[in-house]
Amino acid sequence: MIRSSKTWHAVAVAAAAGLVLSACGTTDTDGGGGDASGEDCNFKIGAMGALSGANASIVLPSVDGAELALEQWDNDECEVTLERFDTEGDPAKATPVATQIAGDESFIGVIGGAFSGETRATKTIYQDGGVPMISQSATATDLTQDEPVEVFHRLVPYDDYQGAAIAKYLTDEVGASKVFVVDNSEAYGEPLADRVEETLGKAMVQRDKTQVGQTDFAPTISKMESANPDAIFYGGYIAEAAPLLKQIRDAGIDAPFVGGDGLYGADFGNAVGAAGEGAVVMCPCAPIEEDSTFAADFEEQFGSAPGAYAAEGYDAMTVFLAALDDGARTREEVLEFINGYEGDGLSKEIAFDDAGDVPAENVSYWAYKNEGGTLVPEVEVKPEG
């Protein structure tokens, strides 16, 4: 079911093909904005997330993808700039950013938050300001299922689906019957691990927790040695997963290692080194179609292959630009357009249900295996239930 009774049929790729207008990578919000209440089409779109730090590789490609969509946009009536805000994924740093964006009427939307914690901390600020949100990667279930806000939308399914897909991969593809489950005790990793545990049932042999910033995992390693698992799942981010995995292998534990999409970054292979060979990362991001020019365009623009959520960032920007193409000139009009949007995107067929989520029929995950430092698509996994 689409969120609005007014259905807009837009083709995402068509809306994003063509001329270069303007894009910028600054966080300067002084001047340059149009009057969001008038007819002028001179606006800003914010991108909020960890643009620096150990987990930046999970976010930067998506923001670059959004910039590429803006560069390729064909519209001679509007001027739009992309404003980047580095929150480092920290909810405390994201809150003033959201307040700044919501208070500046030249912003007609925000791509993000990229992480669940910062999204949880800011979504009511954006709601109060009427600022439409399209997240490329925030997957925590509660963002839409417990305390939804009208302005929030996302291009990735929530973690109840991901946890079920991971558990299915562990049992069906790995053949595991004794899974050791670990999480990072935070807004993303803990509920994801909860869902993995719930779905695994008796196939989970033990559960443990780590902390953000932790580097010595000796207590967890000791528990793993005693449990003798035939697979390990970690819910968290690269910063802690890399030393954890290295210490697991140093202890002689060779059980297959599987992580959630919080590990899906271009630097995962470098971070884990030889210890990460064969590790698997589950992600709702499908491989880019071979006949698409997106990968080549991205590499030409930014000098590297598209990484984590690059396609979702491109799609998020495309939806906002399609709203302007359709004549939206206020936050309210942009929100109405997004609520009823349907179109073919790079990442998937795009639509939003009543909660702002990916419709159930569009939910799919891919297991990516680390081979020689590169995450290579292995198998598609459809969660059950």
Side-chain angles (χ1 to χ4, degrees):
M1 180 178 179
I2 306 303
R3 284 180 107 184
S4 170
S5 59
K6 185 175 184 180
T7 301
W8 304 81
H9 294 283
V11 178
V13 175
L19 296 175
V20 173
L21 280 183
S22 66
C24 75
T26 75
T27 58
D28 179 11
T29 57
D30 293 329
D35 180 4
S37 62
E39 291 301 314
D40 292 340
C41 192
N42 184 12
F43 296 108
K44 301 171 188 172
I45 295 172
M48 178 184 82
L51 306 183
S52 65
N55 296 314
S57 69
I58 306 171
V59 180
L60 281 170
S62 66
V63 180
D64 287 343
E67 184 173 316
L68 180 61
L70 183 56
E71 291 275 354
Q72 295 180 341
W73 187 38
D74 183 8
N75 184 308
D76 58 6
E77 296 180 2
C78 299
E79 228 177 283
V80 175
T81 56
L82 172 66
E83 303 280 342
R84 299 178 180 226
F85 295 86
D86 185 7
T87 65
E88 299 177 32
D90 184 344
K93 294 179 180 179
T95 299
V97 167
T99 301
Q100 180 180 352
I101 292 174
D104 184 344
E105 287 293 326
S106 64
F107 281 95
I108 48 86
V110 62
I111 297 172
F115 290 172
S116 296
E118 65 183 345
T119 303
R120 185 180 295 109
T122 59
K123 64 178 184 172
T124 56
I125 298 173
Y126 289 122
Q127 175 68 25
D128 291 343
V131 183
M133 307 170 68
I134 303 179
S135 175
Q136 70 278 44
S137 55
T139 57
T141 299
D142 69 282
L143 295 176
T144 55
Q145 300 304 298
D146 293 348
E147 297 179 352
V149 296
E150 185 184 6
V151 298
F152 180 70
H153 312 74
R154 54 182 162 191
L155 292 166
V156 287
Y158 53 81
D159 284 335
D160 275 8
Y161 287 114
Q162 182 172 187
I166 289 168
K168 183 178 181 181
Y169 176 83
L170 285 164
T171 55
D172 293 2
E173 301 294 332
V174 178
S177 59
K178 295 172 60 181
V179 182
F180 195 104
V181 175
V182 191
D183 72 77
N184 69 346
S185 304
E186 282 212 328
Y188 161 71
E190 185 173 31
L192 175 59
D194 288 344
R195 180 60 169 158
V196 172
E197 175 182 354
E198 175 189 351
T199 310
L200 284 173
K202 293 180 179 180
M204 189 194 80
V205 67
Q206 195 166 341
R207 175 84 178 262
D208 198 27
K209 292 183 175 296
T210 64
Q211 302 297 320
V212 172
Q214 185 174 341
T215 57
D216 182 356
F217 298 93
T220 297
I221 302 301
S222 178
K223 293 175 184 177
M224 286 184 185
E225 289 176 323
S226 298
N228 191 29
D230 55 14
I232 298 164
F233 167 74
Y234 181 69
Y237 296 110
I238 295 173
E240 290 75 37
L244 171 62
L245 181 51
K246 289 176 181 178
Q247 291 170 43
I248 288 172
R249 299 306 186 222
D250 286 346
I253 302 170
D254 60 2
F257 183 93
V258 178
D261 65 323
L263 307 187
Y264 189 80
D267 64 347
F268 176 76
N270 290 332
V272 296
E277 186 68 21
V280 170
V281 176
M282 191 71 71
C283 186
C285 38
I288 301 300
E289 303 253 344
E290 290 186 3
D291 61 353
S292 170
T293 64
F294 174 70
D297 293 342
F298 189 98
E299 188 158 3
E300 180 180 357
Q301 181 78 13
F302 302 107
S304 62
Y309 296 112
E312 283 78 5
Y314 187 100
D315 286 344
M317 176 62 81
T318 295
V319 175
F320 279 122
L321 299 180
L324 299 179
D325 283 337
D326 195 72
R329 296 294 181 267
T330 67
R331 291 174 176 178
E332 182 180 10
E333 291 170 349
V334 171
L335 178 59
E336 182 181 6
F337 179 89
I338 295 172
N339 283 345
Y341 184 87
E342 292 181 333
D344 293 329
L346 284 173
S347 63
K348 61 182 61 68
E349 183 180 339
I350 301 170
F352 303 101
D353 67 15
D354 287 345
D357 275 315
V358 175
E361 60 271 19
N362 294 353
V363 172
S364 182
Y365 288 84
W366 277 82
Y368 289 82
K369 182 169 286 188
N370 182 37
E371 297 180 357
T374 301
L375 290 172
V376 178
E378 179 190 22
V379 64
E380 183 179 15
V381 181
K382 289 274 192 180
E384 297 173 354

